[in-house]
Structure formats: C-alpha cells, structure tokens
Amino acid sequence: MKKLFKTLPFLALLILVSSCSSIRVATDYDKNANFNEYKTFAFYKTGIDKAEISDLDKRRILRAIESELLAKGFTKSENPDLLVSLFTKSREKINFYNNGFGPYGYGWGWHPWYWNSYHTSSVSRSTEGVLYVDLIDANKKELVWQGMGTGYLSQNMEKKDARIKEFVAKIMEKYPPGMAQ
C-alpha cells in the first residue's frame, strides 16, 4: 500500500505531462479528389503571407511540411499538382489554482485557526495553438485536403523547432486520406 502512495504522485505527473504534450488532429478532404494524381507541390505564397506568425516560425513550419511531403514521395516543382498553404490561430489560456488550506485538512467553511492556515494560489499561462495545413489542387484552384493540429506551444527556442516538427508530422500522418494509419 505504501508503494502505491509513493508511485501515485509520479503517475499523476506523468499523465499531466503527456496530456499537455499531445496534439489533437482533425482532417477534412474532397471525396471526389484523386489523391494518387498528386505528385508535385509548391508553397502558395499568397496564403502563407497571411499567416499571423513570425517569419522565423513560418520558415520552421514550411521546412517541416516540405520534409514530410518529400518523405511521402512528392517532388517540389515550379509547375506543381498541389499548392501548400497554412493558417494559424492561437489563444492564451490562464489557469488559476487555489490550493485551499494546506496541511490542516480544512476545506469549505470556518475553522478557528483561519489566520494560521496556509492558503496558496498559483496562476499558470499557456498558449494553445492551431495549425492548419491546406493542400490546394493547383489546376482547379480548389482546396482538396485540410489538416488541423491543436496543441500547446512552447516559447522555449530549443523546444520550439521540435514542437513544430511534431505538429506537422502528426497532421501529415493523415495524408493521403483513406490510407491505413
């Protein structure tokens, strides 16, 4: 029983950390598109320029997308089958934690030693981001596939590059649609 109580905080921390690092992915696509026809790609500058993120982050995302598409057998081309665009959204989440009355075990209500109790609170901030990757049929100028990844972002420069690669990889896992994942 003591061993259970020792490992319980570790398991709770592990669940918390793994839930924060997860990326939720959703995709949508044109059911009439023949995804086997698409072999080449280029970036759609007009769409990418509208993304409201730093140029450094845009380049990180574009490099990650290019790497994923090349790994899937695509070729970068001046006359592409697909145009790749992206869009981003983010929102700051503020979480307020109220830790109650510390070691005394009192919860709601009054107790005579209120002035002597521990009452702690903390605030944490995190940024939740959404990355949309749009694949557009270059000939028809129609959106044929969209992948969306939602998760928490890192402001730490060393972790940012890895996090962006993780976002893009998770999204691009779902392309092309209908393939066994």
Side-chain angles (χ1 to χ4, degrees):
M1 189 64 140
K2 277 186 173 183
K3 192 172 189 174
L4 176 65
F5 285 120
K6 287 182 179 179
T7 59
L8 199 54
F10 175 73
L11 290 175
L13 180 64
L14 183 64
I15 290 169
L16 179 67
V17 169
S18 66
S19 69
C20 290
S21 68
S22 67
I23 298 168
R24 297 172 309 281
V25 174
T27 61
D28 194 11
Y29 62 95
D30 180 352
K31 293 187 183 345
N32 295 322
N34 182 355
F35 291 95
N36 293 324
E37 291 178 0
Y38 303 123
K39 304 288 183 208
T40 60
F41 74 97
F43 292 109
Y44 185 56
K45 184 171 174 17
T46 306
I48 293 167
D49 286 345
K50 293 179 184 176
E52 295 180 4
I53 55 174
S54 76
D55 287 343
L56 293 171
D57 285 342
K58 282 180 192 176
R59 285 194 298 267
R60 287 180 180 107
I61 293 169
L62 295 176
R63 280 192 301 264
I65 292 171
E66 182 174 340
S67 175
E68 290 293 324
L69 287 173
L70 291 173
K72 289 181 180 289
F74 280 83
T75 306
K76 199 169 180 181
S77 171
E78 294 290 324
N79 187 21
D81 303 322
L82 284 176
L83 295 172
V84 180
S85 188
L86 61 97
F87 178 76
T88 60
K89 289 195 299 188
S90 66
R91 68 181 179 146
E92 186 174 27
K93 293 183 86 174
I94 300 173
N95 298 309
F96 179 78
Y97 301 99
N98 186 351
N99 297 344
F101 292 104
Y104 294 110
Y106 292 97
W108 293 99
W110 178 87
H111 67 85
W113 301 284
Y114 180 77
W115 58 272
N116 197 21
S117 66
Y118 294 100
H119 185 76
T120 58
S121 330
S122 62
V123 175
S124 72
R125 293 173 182 235
S126 56
T127 303
E128 183 179 55
V130 183
L131 172 62
Y132 294 87
V133 177
D134 294 340
L135 300 182
I136 302 160
D137 184 300
N139 294 325
K140 298 177 186 175
K141 303 292 189 244
E142 293 177 355
L143 180 67
V144 292
W145 185 86
Q146 183 177 62
M148 176 188 78
T150 305
Y152 289 93
L153 306 175
S154 175
Q155 297 304 319
N156 180 326
M157 297 311 281
E158 289 80 33
K159 294 180 182 178
K160 186 183 272 192
D161 196 45
R163 188 67 172 159
I164 286 173
K165 287 178 184 175
E166 181 183 11
F167 255 82
V168 171
K170 291 281 188 187
I171 293 168
M172 295 308 294
E173 269 179 10
K174 305 291 184 180
Y175 183 84
M179 298 294 288
Q181 309 292 325

